[in-house]
Amino acid sequence: MSWLWGEQQAEGPAVVEWKYDDLPTPTSDDEFRALAVACKQRIEPWIRGPEGWTMVDEDQATGVKLWEREVVGTEFHALKCSGIINYASVEDVVHLFWSASLEERQKLAPELLEGGVLRTIDEGRLKLSFARFQTPFVIANREFVSYRARENLDDGSIFLYGESVNCKERPFSPDAVRSVVLNAVLLEPIEDGGEPAVRMTSVDMVDPRGWVPAAIVNLFKKKPMERMGRIQSNFRAPSSK
């Protein structure tokens, strides 16, 4: 039943698993940097351009929009979500993704059980991190090990991007399934009615690995919009705080 619950069941000495053969296993700082360059080249056109995307949902009340696209060579769809975060600066919003405490992150992602940084490179502009998420009862919890790069752009925008990698120092947990992710967030400063605001665009492609019912997969397609809504709610006009 390990395909359902994510448990490792074997006779004799336990085998500690820590890698997928189809993922890179960087060990040096230069290897992480090279992966980040390749990741940016792949995902930046997705987050900046409309080509290949089909809109699948829009929240008329908040203005949040959701698109999806097929990804050649995989059986998964990438999701792109865009919305405006009012009464916030780019630094306010990037804090939630880059340096917020576990407790702060759990307010935006209540299903987050655990998370932390495993390694920092280039004075923290490149990080290797892990996270574990609670999932609906019928399937095993999911965990991720991925790096994320940060670029502060000349126009005041901040671009975050990264992907899953193998990490021998963080083997697979016996009570979770190691999932695979490719994602990015672009935060652009704008003004809305004379007040500071941020246009946030995110792209996520997740391979959950293991068994996940189709109904649960469809449920998770809403996660980017839910996250955007929580971030919008995190910032209010000064008079309403």
Side-chain angles (χ1 to χ4, degrees):
M1 292 289 286
S2 59
W3 59 272
L4 176 61
W5 303 110
E7 298 172 348
Q8 295 179 357
Q9 298 180 353
E11 296 181 359
V15 177
V16 178
E17 298 184 50
W18 62 273
K19 67 181 294 186
Y20 288 130
D21 291 340
D22 58 342
L23 288 186
T25 308
T27 56
S28 70
D29 290 356
D30 284 343
E31 288 173 332
F32 275 101
R33 294 185 188 108
L35 284 174
V37 169
C39 179
K40 179 184 177 181
Q41 292 174 344
R42 179 183 184 188
I43 205 168
E44 188 170 23
W46 290 6
I47 207 164
R48 291 190 180 275
E51 295 82 6
W53 294 101
T54 301
M55 185 180 290
V56 293
D57 202 356
E58 180 177 6
D59 188 324
Q60 297 294 334
T62 64
V64 176
K65 299 177 181 179
L66 183 70
W67 297 263
E68 69 176 359
R69 67 179 294 160
E70 295 182 353
V71 180
V72 177
T74 78
E75 57 185 273
F76 306 103
H77 286 75
L79 298 172
K80 179 160 75 169
C81 185
S82 181
I84 303 300
I85 315 297
N86 290 306
Y87 311 109
S89 69
V90 167
E91 289 294 340
D92 290 334
V93 181
V94 79
H95 167 74
L96 301 175
F97 290 93
W98 195 254
S99 55
S101 66
L102 178 63
E103 291 74 18
E104 289 177 288
R105 293 167 62 197
Q106 286 172 327
K107 292 179 181 178
L108 302 178
E111 65 275 14
L112 178 63
L113 298 174
E114 180 186 10
V117 176
L118 301 171
R119 178 173 180 169
T120 59
I121 299 169
D122 294 336
E123 299 180 343
R125 293 189 297 273
L126 185 59
K127 296 181 180 181
L128 178 67
S129 62
F130 71 92
R132 186 160 60 95
F133 294 86
Q134 185 176 30
T135 53
F137 174 74
V138 295
I139 61 174
N141 290 340
R142 257 53 184 179
E143 64 177 9
F144 299 85
V145 170
S146 60
Y147 70 82
R148 176 165 281 190
R150 170 176 174 165
E151 290 190 21
N152 296 346
L153 306 180
D154 292 339
D155 65 356
S157 300
I158 295 180
F159 188 32
L160 310 177
Y161 52 91
E163 62 185 339
S164 290
V165 293
N166 294 315
C167 178
K168 191 172 184 179
E169 291 71 31
R170 187 75 185 189
F172 298 173
S173 299
D175 58 349
V177 173
R178 180 70 55 87
S179 298
V180 175
V181 67
L182 169 70
N183 58 19
V185 175
L186 178 63
L187 304 172
E188 301 171 280
I190 61 173
E191 284 192 2
D192 189 5
E195 296 288 344
V198 177
R199 177 183 294 109
M200 173 178 154
T201 307
S202 64
V203 168
D204 298 275
M205 186 178 74
V206 178
D207 175 357
R209 304 282 163 124
W211 174 80
V212 181
I216 300 298
V217 172
N218 291 331
L219 180 66
F220 278 109
K221 285 185 177 181
K222 297 288 187 179
K223 288 296 182 182
M225 295 186 74
E226 293 174 2
R227 176 181 61 192
M228 185 78 73
R230 291 192 182 101
I231 294 174
Q232 288 178 324
S233 298
N234 196 62
F235 299 99
R236 296 294 187 187
S239 60
S240 64
K241 289 183 179 180

